[in-house]
Amino acid sequence: MANELDELTGPVNSAGRDINVIEKQLPVKVGFGSTLFEIMLWVCGILPGVIFLFMKIGAANYFRKLQQKIQADASQIDNYLEQRVMILQNVAPLVAKAIDLDKDVMKTVAAFRGGMLPDANRNAVAQDIDSAFGRLFPQVEAYPELKAHAAIADAMQQNSYLQKEITAARTLYNDTVNQWNNDLFCWPTKMIVAAKAGYTTRIPFTASADIKARAREVFF
């Protein structure tokens, strides 16, 4: 039997294809067949019905725990973002004392002064922080005496480290979201419980259009 997908002779899109995360939550639904399945378990005897009842309780507890893990994974991303904010707050005044720093950078720093993330989604916050660092560090590179400043050099190193940690934390978050989305449709137990609870799929991390565009730029 021939391969359904043949990389040698199959159709190829020479223009390529961009990929986007669909911003849509899918509800879990079950039909009459699932209800009939539960009824038949009780008809077959009390024991099968009781066993399935305990299985549903276990599935409900599992989803509650998984929701808490998703929250914890999201919180970890926020922790790293807040650390980057603190670095930006500490290093921007040092640079501003030496050069005429971009006013937009200082405005961004002022917006994060409280040490707390603003009331916005974490994608927007991350984009603002990336933008501020993107304007700050090129100016530092242009002044060797600033680049050699111990505090600034340390901040640049910490920023690079935290960006890697944010990427890793987002990957962990996406893995947990993927686990949630897959388990929702595991019939019968988990899917029936999810449908009765009104659960929906969750949306993984999404890069902004600006970040995607910048990723295509020539950096060197």
Side-chain angles (χ1 to χ4, degrees):
M1 180 179 177
N3 294 333
E4 290 85 355
L5 299 175
D6 191 342
E7 67 277 10
L8 299 178
T9 61
V12 176
N13 182 0
S14 58
R17 184 186 299 277
D18 203 352
I19 299 173
N20 295 293
V21 176
I22 305 302
E23 195 80 5
K24 184 177 182 180
Q25 292 179 300
L26 303 177
V28 182
K29 298 179 180 179
V30 293
F32 175 71
S34 295
T35 304
L36 181 62
F37 170 77
E38 292 192 73
I39 293 174
M40 290 303 298
L41 287 176
W42 288 103
V43 170
C44 292
I46 295 178
L47 185 59
V50 171
I51 291 174
F52 190 68
L53 178 62
F54 278 100
M55 288 175 64
K56 289 195 296 182
I57 293 173
N61 291 335
Y62 168 80
F63 280 125
R64 294 189 188 101
K65 291 179 181 178
L66 193 56
Q67 284 191 92
Q68 293 303 317
K69 187 176 187 307
I70 291 174
Q71 285 290 90
D73 291 346
S75 177
Q76 188 61 49
I77 298 173
D78 289 346
N79 287 339
Y80 288 131
L81 288 174
E82 187 167 359
Q83 289 181 52
R84 288 194 75 201
V85 168
M86 298 306 297
I87 293 174
L88 184 62
Q89 289 180 357
N90 292 335
V91 75
L94 295 175
V95 179
K97 289 179 181 179
I99 61 176
D100 184 16
L101 190 60
D102 185 350
K103 292 181 179 180
D104 287 339
V105 173
M106 297 309 295
K107 288 180 181 178
T108 303
V109 173
F112 292 116
R113 276 293 181 196
M116 297 292 292
L117 297 178
D119 186 16
N121 69 71
R122 59 181 53 86
N123 282 0
V125 172
Q127 187 174 354
D128 287 344
I129 299 172
D130 287 341
S131 178
F133 275 109
R135 293 192 299 272
L136 176 65
F137 283 161
Q139 298 185 59
V140 173
E141 293 282 353
Y143 292 82
E145 67 276 12
L146 285 179
K147 189 176 179 182
H149 192 294
I152 295 176
D154 183 58
M156 294 176 71
Q157 185 176 4
Q158 288 184 53
N159 176 65
S160 177
Y161 165 77
L162 286 174
Q163 187 56 52
K164 293 177 182 177
E165 290 297 318
I166 289 172
T167 300
R170 284 171 175 164
T171 300
L172 179 62
Y173 173 81
N174 281 352
D175 287 343
T176 309
V177 166
N178 184 56
Q179 183 180 349
W180 170 274
N181 291 343
N182 286 334
D183 288 339
L184 287 182
F185 297 99
C186 287
W187 192 88
T189 312
K190 291 179 180 177
M191 190 170 179
I192 291 175
V193 170
K196 290 183 178 179
Y199 290 148
T200 66
T201 57
R202 294 173 183 265
I203 301 169
F205 166 74
T206 309
S208 67
D210 179 59
I211 293 297
K212 287 186 175 182
R214 286 166 57 188
R216 297 184 179 91
E217 295 176 359
V218 177
F219 294 97
F220 304 101

